[in-house]
Amino acid sequence: MPRFKLTIEYDGRPFMGWQRQAHGPSVQQCLEEAAAAIFGGTPLVYGCGRTDSGVHALGQVAHVDCPKPLSPFRLSEALNARLRPHPIAILEAEQVADDFHARFDCTGRAYRYVIHNRRAPLTLTAGREWRISKPLDETAMADAAAHLVGRHDFTTFRSVHCQAESPVKTLTRLEVERQGDHVVVEADAPSFLHHQIRSITGCLAMVGDGRWKPRDMKAALDSKDRAALGLNAPPDGLYFVRATYE
Amino acid sequence: MPRFKLTIEYDGRPFMGWQRQAHGPSVQQCLEEAAAAIFGGTPLVYGCGRTDSGVHALGQVAHVDCPKPLSPFRLSEALNARLRPHPIAILEAEQVADDFHARFDCTGRAYRYVIHNRRAPLTLTAGREWRISKPLDETAMADAAAHLVGRHDFTTFRSVHCQAESPVKTLTRLEVERQGDHVVVEADAPSFLHHQIRSITGCLAMVGDGRWKPRDMKAALDSKDRAALGLNAPPDGLYFVRATYE
């Protein structure tokens, strides 16, 4: 049965997150219901990464098997038509090998965290950015971020609910850049721990507003202790940007 | 009584527009109610320009008289606190001369119209952009726009409900630029007619998708006939960006 790779954008606000939940709507459920309306049966949609409740995606990747002879374009059109009015859109569909797996074949994941550094409350971007009113020192944040790049035990930045086998992960990129009123954190890694980026961003914000020095980030990492976490950033500003495949 | 100039950002979706309406919520009403909660009485908030239902603002300007001895910062903080949960924010407040008038003293207004030129439905930016799935030729759109710059009778691009005394207006700037999947229209003028930018953008889109040639825009302008209007763009993509004062 032909397998398709889907590139998906969504607004995370109305959802309990990517993964199917008994207690509320999820992105996966909306996609599987849209697929069922086209294919019949109970199609399964496998995602590259699970995003939390309220976390957004610009380029989430998933795969699904399609029992009907549909072109990639027709499949994405049919899914988008049935996804309405949910804020989920198929940006691209492409046929892939029958053994392609969105999660297990993914070799790189990229996230972005957007901070709006201003005093005024958010209006047009409410729920899609984290507003921090105290002026942030992005240079100090970048210095702190540099301590986390590479292979480390990220226990400090790991949710108690994390299901990963090991707390050791390799951050290939962690950059902080100011863009006017915005401070943007970009993170790349083969894979991440649950809450890893929100935990890191929360601590970067503490460095940015002066409560921590850049070296305190190193100490927090080295302590390998969740209690050393400064702050967990809200889901609002987090975006799943990209998944890479060999 | 000290007069304050307010710079205001809002998401236009929940509102009937800027101006007070009997039949629904307006930005002006929310601001006047917030001011009343601080000052008491029935404060009046005068806006620089009336935006339509669903039209947004990044830098709307208004003025209000404040009977209390508040600093500009305290006034903006107090207003923002009372504007919640409405998606309206005071970005800046400054004390101005007692005879300053946000509308009559304004010498220049700037609007932006944002088109998202892609096939997939909008998710994160739904209600804040106009999605056009057919590929747009931004160069042809820019050529068409050039015909409208300057002093003209804009009857073709004027709502039947327009209350302006004359249909003659001077467009000081009308530019079209592609930014990736987005096509952005920027318009500057001392003042605009009701629906002028939405009417112009609708016709620019017809040029962009090939239904009109750039010269058809000139013919539509010269006809001075509302019936020659190609298309009125939806409010979703329109932003009041800036007001200028001497």
Side-chain angles (χ1 to χ4, degrees):
Chain A
M1 192 153 58
R3 178 161 291 185
F4 289 88
K5 174 188 175 192
L6 306 173
T7 304
I8 307 157
E9 177 187 273
Y10 52 83
D11 180 337
R13 281 174 288 179
F15 306 108
M16 303 302 302
W18 165 267
Q19 193 176 23
R20 259 188 187 275
Q21 303 283 348
H23 58 296
S26 65
V27 178
Q28 184 181 34
Q29 178 188 345
C30 290
L31 286 163
E32 289 177 343
E33 288 173 354
I38 303 165
F39 311 157
T42 56
L44 297 176
V45 175
Y46 295 88
C48 165
R50 304 170 179 171
T51 53
D52 283 337
S53 178
V55 174
H56 317 294
L58 300 175
Q60 172 71 281
V61 172
H63 76 264
V64 65
D65 292 332
C66 177
K68 281 193 176 181
L70 288 175
S71 69
F73 178 73
R74 288 283 158 229
L75 175 61
S76 63
E77 291 285 290
L79 285 171
N80 281 333
R82 285 160 180 81
L83 280 166
R84 290 196 186 85
H86 303 294
I88 304 172
I90 307 301
L91 301 182
E92 191 188 9
E94 58 180 303
Q95 193 168 345
V96 287
D98 294 359
D99 63 350
F100 171 86
H101 196 290
R103 181 175 170 199
F104 301 128
D105 293 352
C106 179
T107 55
R109 295 164 169 89
Y111 282 88
R112 177 179 302 142
Y113 198 102
V114 182
I115 295 169
H116 202 143
N117 191 196
R118 75 173 193 187
R119 182 79 193 172
L122 302 180
T123 67
L124 288 150
T125 56
R128 304 193 298 108
E129 297 174 336
W130 180 21
R131 177 183 65 111
I132 298 180
S133 50
K134 202 168 169 193
L136 296 173
D137 176 348
E138 64 276 10
T139 308
M141 293 168 74
D143 293 346
H147 290 300
L148 302 184
V149 175
R151 179 177 169 84
H152 304 286
D153 178 331
F154 283 97
T155 297
T156 306
F157 305 98
R158 176 190 200 179
S159 159
V160 291
H161 304 296
C162 184
Q163 291 166 26
E165 286 163 12
S166 161
V168 176
K169 292 289 178 186
T170 302
L171 258 186
T172 45
R173 177 173 172 244
L174 184 65
E175 288 177 7
V176 179
E177 183 185 56
R178 175 172 287 277
Q179 299 168 2
D181 281 349
H182 292 84
V183 175
V184 179
V185 178
E186 302 265 5
D188 296 2
S191 64
F192 290 91
L193 298 168
H194 187 218
H195 279 187
Q196 188 177 356
I197 299 164
R198 288 170 57 186
S199 299
I200 289 173
T201 302
C203 293
L204 287 174
M206 291 186 66
V207 173
D209 70 19
R211 279 178 286 173
W212 275 19
K213 297 288 172 211
R215 65 173 174 274
D216 295 326
M217 183 67 90
K218 177 79 165 62
L221 174 70
D222 293 343
S223 74
K224 303 181 182 58
D225 175 6
R226 182 70 180 167
L229 177 68
L231 179 66
N232 205 29
D236 308 52
L238 186 57
Y239 295 78
F240 185 107
V241 174
R242 186 174 56 256
T244 338
Y245 296 86
E246 291 314 319
Chain B
M1 189 151 58
R3 178 161 291 185
F4 289 88
K5 174 189 174 192
L6 306 173
T7 304
I8 307 156
E9 177 188 271
Y10 53 84
D11 180 337
R13 280 174 287 180
F15 305 109
M16 303 301 303
W18 166 267
Q19 193 176 23
R20 258 188 190 275
Q21 304 285 345
H23 59 297
S26 64
V27 179
Q28 186 181 33
Q29 177 187 345
C30 290
L31 286 163
E32 289 176 345
E33 289 174 355
I38 302 166
F39 310 156
T42 57
L44 297 174
V45 175
Y46 296 88
C48 166
R50 303 171 181 172
T51 53
D52 283 336
S53 177
V55 174
H56 318 292
L58 301 175
Q60 171 72 280
V61 172
H63 76 264
V64 63
D65 292 333
C66 176
K68 282 193 176 179
L70 288 176
S71 69
F73 178 74
R74 288 282 159 234
L75 176 61
S76 62
E77 291 285 288
L79 286 170
N80 281 333
R82 285 159 181 81
L83 281 165
R84 290 197 186 82
H86 303 296
I88 304 172
I90 308 299
L91 300 182
E92 192 187 8
E94 57 181 306
Q95 191 167 349
V96 288
D98 295 358
D99 63 351
F100 171 86
H101 197 291
R103 181 176 168 197
F104 300 129
D105 294 350
C106 179
T107 55
R109 293 163 170 88
Y111 282 89
R112 178 178 302 143
Y113 198 101
V114 181
I115 297 169
H116 202 145
N117 191 196
R118 75 174 192 186
R119 181 77 193 174
L122 301 181
T123 67
L124 288 151
T125 55
R128 303 194 297 109
E129 297 174 336
W130 181 21
R131 178 184 64 112
I132 298 180
S133 50
K134 204 170 167 193
L136 296 173
D137 176 349
E138 65 275 11
T139 308
M141 293 169 74
D143 293 346
H147 290 302
L148 302 184
V149 175
R151 179 178 169 85
H152 304 287
D153 179 330
F154 283 96
T155 296
T156 305
F157 305 98
R158 175 189 201 183
S159 159
V160 291
H161 304 296
C162 183
Q163 292 167 21
E165 287 163 11
S166 161
V168 176
K169 291 290 177 184
T170 301
L171 257 186
T172 44
R173 176 173 172 245
L174 184 64
E175 289 177 8
V176 179
E177 183 185 57
R178 174 171 289 275
Q179 299 169 0
D181 282 349
H182 292 84
V183 175
V184 179
V185 179
E186 302 264 6
D188 296 3
S191 64
F192 290 91
L193 299 168
H194 187 218
H195 279 189
Q196 187 177 357
I197 298 162
R198 289 170 56 186
S199 299
I200 288 172
T201 303
C203 294
L204 287 174
M206 291 186 66
V207 173
D209 70 19
R211 280 178 287 173
W212 275 18
K213 297 289 173 208
R215 64 175 176 275
D216 295 326
M217 183 69 91
K218 177 79 164 65
L221 174 70
D222 293 344
S223 74
K224 304 181 179 59
D225 176 5
R226 182 70 177 167
L229 176 68
L231 178 67
N232 205 30
D236 309 52
L238 186 57
Y239 295 78
F240 185 107
V241 174
R242 186 174 56 254
T244 329
Y245 298 85
E246 291 313 320

